[in-house]
Amino acid sequence: MIVSCELETSGNGKLDGYWQMCQVDTLTTGGVTDTRESLIYWGIQGKLLQIRYSENNVYLGEGLLFRFENDNSLLTLSSPVVHHLYETDEPIDDVELLKPYGIYRLEEKFTIEQLDDKYMILTNDVLRLHFRRY
């Protein structure tokens, strides 16, 4: 008898993991904001991206979920929802809820400027987001 098993991998490479947003640069004004104290984290695995956030080290809600596509130079986020553990997730149709996390469209496209074992830098039309692997 021959048995075979196959490990399922996401194909996301270095993108998979838990990332802390450390800095946000505003492209039009040159402004720089240190966001380490905001405790905004992006968790990426498979085809889902979860954003978790906290105030005073207390996580608020279960976070936000997005589907995403990665083609090694472009990261496209789509289908945002407010994620609830024990209730039905709520689709987001107001982009204003996403802006505090650097997302300015319901389907947002980020250019991947840097992605390695320690750092990730994403840029959209408005912002450059700096992350460190957590």
Side-chain angles (χ1 to χ4, degrees), residues 9-22:
T9 60
S10 71
N12 293 327
K14 293 179 180 179
L15 185 63
D16 274 347
Y18 209 49
W19 299 91
Q20 180 185 18
M21 187 184 296
C22 298

Side-chain angles (χ1 to χ4, degrees), residues 91-124:
I92 296 173
D93 58 6
D94 182 1
V95 75
E96 293 300 317
L97 298 172
L98 306 176
K99 287 184 178 180
Y101 312 104
I103 300 166
Y104 277 67
R105 293 182 181 86
L106 295 176
E107 182 173 297
E108 184 67 87
K109 295 183 184 301
F110 288 100
T111 299
I112 301 172
E113 287 188 6
Q114 179 179 348
L115 179 60
D116 58 37
D117 293 333
K118 294 183 180 181
Y119 300 103
M120 175 171 67
I121 300 175
L122 304 176
T123 303
N124 61 15

Side-chain angles (χ1 to χ4, degrees), residues 32-98:
V32 175
T33 303
D34 183 334
T35 58
R36 289 176 291 185
E37 297 296 320
S38 300
L39 301 176
I40 297 171
Y41 296 93
W42 287 26
I44 300 172
Q45 184 177 12
K47 292 294 177 192
L48 290 177
L49 181 148
Q50 180 180 32
I51 297 179
R52 296 198 60 207
Y53 47 92
S54 70
E55 287 182 9
N56 301 320
N57 291 322
V58 175
Y59 281 99
L60 304 175
E62 292 85 15
L64 308 174
L65 282 180
F66 296 82
R67 295 202 176 280
F68 75 89
E69 292 183 24
N70 169 27
D71 77 358
N72 296 320
S73 63
L74 191 66
L75 179 66
T76 303
L77 307 184
S78 62
S79 306
V81 298
V82 176
H83 176 59
H84 299 290
L85 289 176
Y86 304 110
E87 298 174 24
T88 303
D89 293 344
E90 298 172 51
I92 296 173
D93 58 6
D94 182 1
V95 75
E96 293 300 317
L97 298 172
L98 306 176

